[in-house]
Amino acid sequence: GAGVSQTPSNKVTEKGKYVELRCDPISGHTALYWYRQSLGQGPEFLIYFQGTGAADDSGLPNDRFFAVRPEGSVSTLKIQRTERGDSAVYLCASSVSGRAGEQYFGPGTRLTVT
Amino acid sequence: GNSVTQMEGPVTLSEEAFLTINCTYTATGYPSLFWYVQYPGEGLQLLLKATKADDKGSNKGFEATYRKETTSFHLEKGSVQVSDSAVYFCALSDRNDYKLSFGAGTTVTVRA
């Protein structure tokens, strides 16, 4: 079946602009996660959704970052007033149970802020 | 807090060589431990896992044993192939948690 998909695969934006990154989880997966992977580093947790609600957003670095999942399926990560330090690969994952280790990852969106 | 430290790369090997990637962790309680792999152009995939001390995870010829006494989860494969070229990430989660904490990753290149 279809895996987790993310769009766009690449996004280049200018400093100060607003961007939206989209994640389509595997059908039926109620849990959804966003991670950020900077160059040469492992992924870092940003936010976890169970259904429509954000169960844990403790990894969001500041209030410029926001994520929604209004219908409990597709999620959008929104970044306002982008900074060069936001450049990274943004990964989305989904799972049935919410348990770590049962997360299926998407291919990521590479964000470059110039 | 939780943290994972893994062997720095890159690692370059010849086909059929033995591979070890060291991983140690710091965590409260009794974490679950994982190895994820990222093949070129693909997303992260779970390679193997272990959920309690002395458990051995295995998959595709790779093995790792959960060593509580040394807080380690080293990845091994006895005979690597060119197709094993990838970035390998060690990770953990608290037993009652859903968040993965990753190491920095180790790039492995296997030459024919």
Side-chain angles (χ1 to χ4, degrees):
Chain A
V4 177
S5 63
Q6 293 185 245
T7 54
S9 56
N10 281 284
K11 176 71 177 178
V12 180
T13 190
E14 292 180 350
K15 179 176 178 295
K17 299 289 189 184
Y18 167 84
V19 296
E20 291 188 349
L21 311 180
R22 177 188 168 104
C23 172
D24 276 276
I26 293 171
S27 177
H29 283 195
T30 58
L32 185 145
Y33 316 78
W34 285 97
Y35 291 82
R36 179 168 72 173
Q37 185 174 10
S38 300
L39 190 62
Q41 301 297 316
E44 293 179 307
F45 171 83
L46 294 177
I47 187 169
Y48 160 54
F49 286 91
Q50 187 57 258
T52 60
D56 183 349
D57 64 358
S58 62
L60 295 177
N62 52 59
D63 61 5
R64 296 187 296 105
F65 288 74
F66 189 71
V68 296
R69 195 185 185 199
E71 297 178 358
S73 178
V74 170
S75 175
T76 305
L77 178 65
K78 308 181 181 195
I79 310 174
Q80 298 177 324
R81 305 183 303 281
T82 51
E83 299 177 357
R84 293 195 180 88
D86 299 335
S87 296
V89 176
Y90 290 81
L91 298 172
C92 177
S94 70
S95 75
V96 171
S97 67
R99 288 186 193 169
E102 296 176 7
Q103 298 175 23
Y104 291 83
F105 283 82
T109 293
R110 181 176 299 278
L111 175 66
T112 303
V113 182
T114 62
Chain B
N2 297 334
S3 68
V4 176
T5 302
Q6 64 180 100
M7 188 171 95
E8 287 188 18
V11 174
T12 303
L13 302 164
S14 297
E15 222 170 7
E16 300 183 2
F18 184 86
L19 171 67
T20 299
I21 304 176
N22 289 341
C23 171
T24 58
Y25 67 89
T26 302
T28 55
Y30 302 96
S32 294
L33 302 174
F34 310 90
W35 278 99
Y36 277 81
V37 60
Q38 189 168 33
Y39 297 104
E42 298 185 16
L44 274 170
Q45 302 174 22
L46 179 65
L47 180 60
L48 54 83
K49 67 179 180 181
T51 57
K52 61 182 187 295
D54 300 325
D55 267 3
K56 178 186 285 188
S58 61
N59 187 26
K60 298 183 179 181
F62 289 89
E63 293 183 340
T65 301
Y66 188 142
R67 301 287 188 199
K68 187 171 180 295
E69 62 276 13
T70 54
T71 61
S72 66
F73 193 54
H74 304 322
L75 182 69
E76 298 182 336
K77 185 172 185 181
S79 177
V80 293
Q81 305 300 313
V82 171
S83 57
D84 294 324
S85 298
V87 184
Y88 292 83
F89 293 91
C90 186
L92 69 80
S93 72
D94 286 341
R95 191 166 291 284
N96 295 318
D97 205 354
Y98 39 80
K99 287 187 278 193
L100 288 165
S101 297
F102 286 88
T106 302
T107 300
V108 173
T109 302
V110 180
R111 294 181 174 168

